[in-house]
Amino acid sequence: MNDQRPRFEVRAHHTDSTVTVYQAYRPKIGRAAARHGRFTSSWSRERMTWIKPSFLWMMYRCGWGTKKDQETVLAVEISREGFVWALRNACLSHYVPALHGDGGTWKRELRKAPARVQWDPERDLRLDPLPYRSLQLGLAGEAAARYADEWIVGIEDVTPLATEIHGLVREGELDRAAGLLPEERPYPLDDDVLAHLRA
């Protein structure tokens, strides 16, 4: 992997009209979502839901689908318009004086924003941290409702893929494992979309 990447860059598997993000759920929620192509009534709209464009960061978070209540890994294809809307309406999850001025201003923005952003170290195949960051996008309220009702184009259960790649990593077959990873390329965004989210 290229360690010279920009520190804050969105990388994702994307097409001309969609972007793929990842989530992990307990089987009751995840399998139902994959079967129906949308989240069913067992999925809570009241909680913040975090979507991640990085497959390997999702693997880090869910332990390759082995952590409790994260055994089903989903690839959720959403509209590019929805993804950009969420970024434009997001607030950073932590206070940055150069962006927010005073802490009170940031807290007010955070309370009213329907989405929030964290930048966490990207991960390699061994799930070790890399020097550049990976986007995590939290959706609540209006953003969560739009995600569930408007943005989703398709949902695929990629747990078998996670299990296969994990097995190759454990066997030391890193090249073969890398060959199975979803292709993630820099996602084209206008500067103003991320200007308030770089920290």
mmCIF file of all heavy atoms in Angstrom, residues 11-33:
data_model
loop_
_atom_site.group_PDB
_atom_site.id
_atom_site.type_symbol
_atom_site.label_atom_id
_atom_site.label_comp_id
_atom_site.label_asym_id
_atom_site.label_seq_id
_atom_site.Cartn_x
_atom_site.Cartn_y
_atom_site.Cartn_z
ATOM 1 N N ARG A 11 -11.321 7.076 0.514
ATOM 2 C CA ARG A 11 -11.089 5.993 -0.435
ATOM 3 C C ARG A 11 -12.247 5.010 -0.310
ATOM 4 O O ARG A 11 -12.671 4.681 0.803
ATOM 5 C CB ARG A 11 -9.760 5.288 -0.143
ATOM 6 C CG ARG A 11 -8.538 6.162 -0.361
ATOM 7 C CD ARG A 11 -7.274 5.525 0.187
ATOM 8 N NE ARG A 11 -7.395 5.202 1.602
ATOM 9 C CZ ARG A 11 -7.261 6.094 2.579
ATOM 10 N NH1 ARG A 11 -7.002 7.361 2.303
ATOM 11 N NH2 ARG A 11 -7.390 5.725 3.845
ATOM 12 N N ALA A 12 -12.748 4.555 -1.450
ATOM 13 C CA ALA A 12 -13.909 3.676 -1.418
ATOM 14 C C ALA A 12 -14.011 2.896 -2.719
ATOM 15 O O ALA A 12 -13.424 3.271 -3.736
ATOM 16 C CB ALA A 12 -15.185 4.505 -1.213
ATOM 17 N N HIS A 13 -14.777 1.825 -2.661
ATOM 18 C CA HIS A 13 -15.194 1.147 -3.881
ATOM 19 C C HIS A 13 -16.387 1.940 -4.399
ATOM 20 O O HIS A 13 -17.394 2.095 -3.711
ATOM 21 C CB HIS A 13 -15.589 -0.301 -3.572
ATOM 22 C CG HIS A 13 -16.011 -1.071 -4.773
ATOM 23 N ND1 HIS A 13 -15.113 -1.560 -5.696
ATOM 24 C CD2 HIS A 13 -17.242 -1.417 -5.227
ATOM 25 C CE1 HIS A 13 -15.763 -2.186 -6.657
ATOM 26 N NE2 HIS A 13 -17.049 -2.116 -6.394
ATOM 27 N N HIS A 14 -16.277 2.476 -5.619
ATOM 28 C CA HIS A 14 -17.372 3.313 -6.110
ATOM 29 C C HIS A 14 -17.548 3.170 -7.608
ATOM 30 O O HIS A 14 -16.639 2.748 -8.335
ATOM 31 C CB HIS A 14 -17.141 4.782 -5.725
ATOM 32 C CG HIS A 14 -15.845 5.369 -6.184
ATOM 33 N ND1 HIS A 14 -15.679 5.957 -7.415
ATOM 34 C CD2 HIS A 14 -14.628 5.457 -5.577
ATOM 35 C CE1 HIS A 14 -14.440 6.398 -7.541
ATOM 36 N NE2 HIS A 14 -13.772 6.101 -6.443
ATOM 37 N N THR A 15 -18.749 3.498 -8.041
ATOM 38 C CA THR A 15 -19.097 3.529 -9.458
ATOM 39 C C THR A 15 -19.479 4.966 -9.804
ATOM 40 O O THR A 15 -19.364 5.871 -8.972
ATOM 41 C CB THR A 15 -20.281 2.593 -9.757
ATOM 42 O OG1 THR A 15 -21.471 3.139 -9.169
ATOM 43 C CG2 THR A 15 -20.041 1.184 -9.197
ATOM 44 N N ASP A 16 -19.996 5.169 -11.008
ATOM 45 C CA ASP A 16 -20.422 6.510 -11.402
ATOM 46 C C ASP A 16 -21.593 7.007 -10.564
ATOM 47 O O ASP A 16 -21.805 8.218 -10.443
ATOM 48 C CB ASP A 16 -20.834 6.534 -12.881
ATOM 49 C CG ASP A 16 -19.637 6.397 -13.813
ATOM 50 O OD1 ASP A 16 -18.496 6.607 -13.347
ATOM 51 O OD2 ASP A 16 -19.846 6.064 -14.992
ATOM 52 N N SER A 17 -22.364 6.093 -9.981
ATOM 53 C CA SER A 17 -23.567 6.507 -9.262
ATOM 54 C C SER A 17 -23.631 6.057 -7.806
ATOM 55 O O SER A 17 -24.494 6.517 -7.055
ATOM 56 C CB SER A 17 -24.816 5.989 -9.991
ATOM 57 O OG SER A 17 -24.781 4.570 -10.077
ATOM 58 N N THR A 18 -22.727 5.159 -7.391
ATOM 59 C CA THR A 18 -22.816 4.625 -6.025
ATOM 60 C C THR A 18 -21.459 4.572 -5.344
ATOM 61 O O THR A 18 -20.407 4.636 -5.987
ATOM 62 C CB THR A 18 -23.399 3.193 -6.029
ATOM 63 O OG1 THR A 18 -22.500 2.318 -6.714
ATOM 64 C CG2 THR A 18 -24.767 3.146 -6.676
ATOM 65 N N VAL A 19 -21.515 4.428 -4.033
ATOM 66 C CA VAL A 19 -20.318 4.200 -3.221
ATOM 67 C C VAL A 19 -20.652 3.080 -2.234
ATOM 68 O O VAL A 19 -21.784 3.000 -1.742
ATOM 69 C CB VAL A 19 -19.875 5.492 -2.488
ATOM 70 C CG1 VAL A 19 -20.985 6.052 -1.626
ATOM 71 C CG2 VAL A 19 -18.635 5.248 -1.633
ATOM 72 N N THR A 20 -19.703 2.195 -1.983
ATOM 73 C CA THR A 20 -19.930 1.070 -1.075
ATOM 74 C C THR A 20 -19.351 1.377 0.294
ATOM 75 O O THR A 20 -18.204 1.809 0.412
ATOM 76 C CB THR A 20 -19.295 -0.219 -1.628
ATOM 77 O OG1 THR A 20 -19.925 -0.539 -2.880
ATOM 78 C CG2 THR A 20 -19.488 -1.388 -0.670
ATOM 79 N N VAL A 21 -20.168 1.151 1.312
ATOM 80 C CA VAL A 21 -19.733 1.316 2.699
ATOM 81 C C VAL A 21 -19.987 0.002 3.433
ATOM 82 O O VAL A 21 -20.749 -0.850 2.962
ATOM 83 C CB VAL A 21 -20.476 2.489 3.388
ATOM 84 C CG1 VAL A 21 -20.125 3.813 2.727
ATOM 85 C CG2 VAL A 21 -21.988 2.263 3.393
ATOM 86 N N TYR A 22 -19.353 -0.153 4.581
ATOM 87 C CA TYR A 22 -19.425 -1.417 5.308
ATOM 88 C C TYR A 22 -19.968 -1.210 6.714
ATOM 89 O O TYR A 22 -19.722 -0.189 7.352
ATOM 90 C CB TYR A 22 -18.044 -2.073 5.368
ATOM 91 C CG TYR A 22 -17.518 -2.382 3.994
ATOM 92 C CD1 TYR A 22 -16.678 -1.492 3.329
ATOM 93 C CD2 TYR A 22 -17.903 -3.546 3.321
ATOM 94 C CE1 TYR A 22 -16.229 -1.751 2.036
ATOM 95 C CE2 TYR A 22 -17.454 -3.815 2.032
ATOM 96 C CZ TYR A 22 -16.619 -2.913 1.408
ATOM 97 O OH TYR A 22 -16.184 -3.165 0.124
ATOM 98 N N GLN A 23 -20.724 -2.214 7.155
ATOM 99 C CA GLN A 23 -21.222 -2.264 8.529
ATOM 100 C C GLN A 23 -21.210 -3.715 8.978
ATOM 101 O O GLN A 23 -21.161 -4.630 8.138
ATOM 102 C CB GLN A 23 -22.644 -1.710 8.613
ATOM 103 C CG GLN A 23 -22.758 -0.238 8.237
ATOM 104 C CD GLN A 23 -24.100 0.343 8.620
ATOM 105 O OE1 GLN A 23 -25.090 0.122 7.938
ATOM 106 N NE2 GLN A 23 -24.135 1.084 9.726
ATOM 107 N N ALA A 24 -21.256 -3.929 10.283
ATOM 108 C CA ALA A 24 -21.332 -5.292 10.804
ATOM 109 C C ALA A 24 -22.399 -5.343 11.888
ATOM 110 O O ALA A 24 -22.484 -4.446 12.734
ATOM 111 C CB ALA A 24 -19.983 -5.736 11.364
ATOM 112 N N TYR A 25 -23.205 -6.385 11.834
ATOM 113 C CA TYR A 25 -24.332 -6.533 12.745
ATOM 114 C C TYR A 25 -24.430 -7.958 13.248
ATOM 115 O O TYR A 25 -23.826 -8.874 12.686
ATOM 116 C CB TYR A 25 -25.646 -6.196 12.024
ATOM 117 C CG TYR A 25 -25.817 -4.732 11.701
ATOM 118 C CD1 TYR A 25 -25.551 -4.248 10.433
ATOM 119 C CD2 TYR A 25 -26.258 -3.832 12.672
ATOM 120 C CE1 TYR A 25 -25.715 -2.904 10.122
ATOM 121 C CE2 TYR A 25 -26.425 -2.487 12.386
ATOM 122 C CZ TYR A 25 -26.157 -2.033 11.112
ATOM 123 O OH TYR A 25 -26.303 -0.704 10.822
ATOM 124 N N ARG A 26 -25.254 -8.148 14.271
ATOM 125 C CA ARG A 26 -25.568 -9.515 14.664
ATOM 126 C C ARG A 26 -26.390 -10.148 13.537
ATOM 127 O O ARG A 26 -27.059 -9.456 12.768
ATOM 128 C CB ARG A 26 -26.293 -9.560 16.005
ATOM 129 C CG ARG A 26 -27.660 -8.920 16.044
ATOM 130 C CD ARG A 26 -28.239 -9.066 17.453
ATOM 131 N NE ARG A 26 -29.605 -8.582 17.544
ATOM 132 C CZ ARG A 26 -29.925 -7.338 17.834
ATOM 133 N NH1 ARG A 26 -28.973 -6.436 18.055
ATOM 134 N NH2 ARG A 26 -31.195 -6.967 17.909
ATOM 135 N N PRO A 27 -26.341 -11.473 13.411
ATOM 136 C CA PRO A 27 -26.960 -12.142 12.255
ATOM 137 C C PRO A 27 -28.430 -11.803 12.048
ATOM 138 O O PRO A 27 -28.876 -11.672 10.898
ATOM 139 C CB PRO A 27 -26.762 -13.630 12.571
ATOM 140 C CG PRO A 27 -25.492 -13.657 13.376
ATOM 141 C CD PRO A 27 -25.546 -12.416 14.234
ATOM 142 N N LYS A 28 -29.186 -11.642 13.117
ATOM 143 C CA LYS A 28 -30.628 -11.373 12.959
ATOM 144 C C LYS A 28 -30.864 -10.119 12.129
ATOM 145 O O LYS A 28 -31.770 -10.074 11.286
ATOM 146 C CB LYS A 28 -31.281 -11.226 14.338
ATOM 147 C CG LYS A 28 -32.773 -10.907 14.267
ATOM 148 C CD LYS A 28 -33.362 -10.687 15.637
ATOM 149 C CE LYS A 28 -34.843 -10.296 15.542
ATOM 150 N NZ LYS A 28 -35.421 -9.983 16.866
ATOM 151 N N ILE A 29 -30.043 -9.087 12.361
ATOM 152 C CA ILE A 29 -30.197 -7.828 11.631
ATOM 153 C C ILE A 29 -29.515 -7.916 10.268
ATOM 154 O O ILE A 29 -30.091 -7.560 9.237
ATOM 155 C CB ILE A 29 -29.624 -6.654 12.450
ATOM 156 C CG1 ILE A 29 -30.444 -6.455 13.725
ATOM 157 C CG2 ILE A 29 -29.588 -5.379 11.623
ATOM 158 C CD1 ILE A 29 -29.891 -5.386 14.659
ATOM 159 N N GLY A 30 -28.265 -8.390 10.259
ATOM 160 C CA GLY A 30 -27.480 -8.371 9.040
ATOM 161 C C GLY A 30 -28.024 -9.282 7.953
ATOM 162 O O GLY A 30 -28.126 -8.877 6.781
ATOM 163 N N ARG A 31 -28.390 -10.490 8.317
ATOM 164 C CA ARG A 31 -28.885 -11.428 7.303
ATOM 165 C C ARG A 31 -30.222 -10.977 6.736
ATOM 166 O O ARG A 31 -30.484 -11.127 5.531
ATOM 167 C CB ARG A 31 -28.987 -12.835 7.896
ATOM 168 C CG ARG A 31 -27.628 -13.460 8.160
ATOM 169 C CD ARG A 31 -27.754 -14.808 8.843
ATOM 170 N NE ARG A 31 -26.452 -15.364 9.175
ATOM 171 C CZ ARG A 31 -26.271 -16.378 10.002
ATOM 172 N NH1 ARG A 31 -27.317 -16.957 10.576
ATOM 173 N NH2 ARG A 31 -25.052 -16.827 10.267
ATOM 174 N N ALA A 32 -31.069 -10.422 7.594
ATOM 175 C CA ALA A 32 -32.363 -9.915 7.113
ATOM 176 C C ALA A 32 -32.156 -8.764 6.137
ATOM 177 O O ALA A 32 -32.835 -8.669 5.108
ATOM 178 C CB ALA A 32 -33.227 -9.477 8.293
ATOM 179 N N ALA A 33 -31.217 -7.879 6.446
ATOM 180 C CA ALA A 33 -30.952 -6.743 5.567
ATOM 181 C C ALA A 33 -30.450 -7.213 4.201
ATOM 182 O O ALA A 33 -30.879 -6.707 3.153
ATOM 183 C CB ALA A 33 -29.929 -5.808 6.220
#
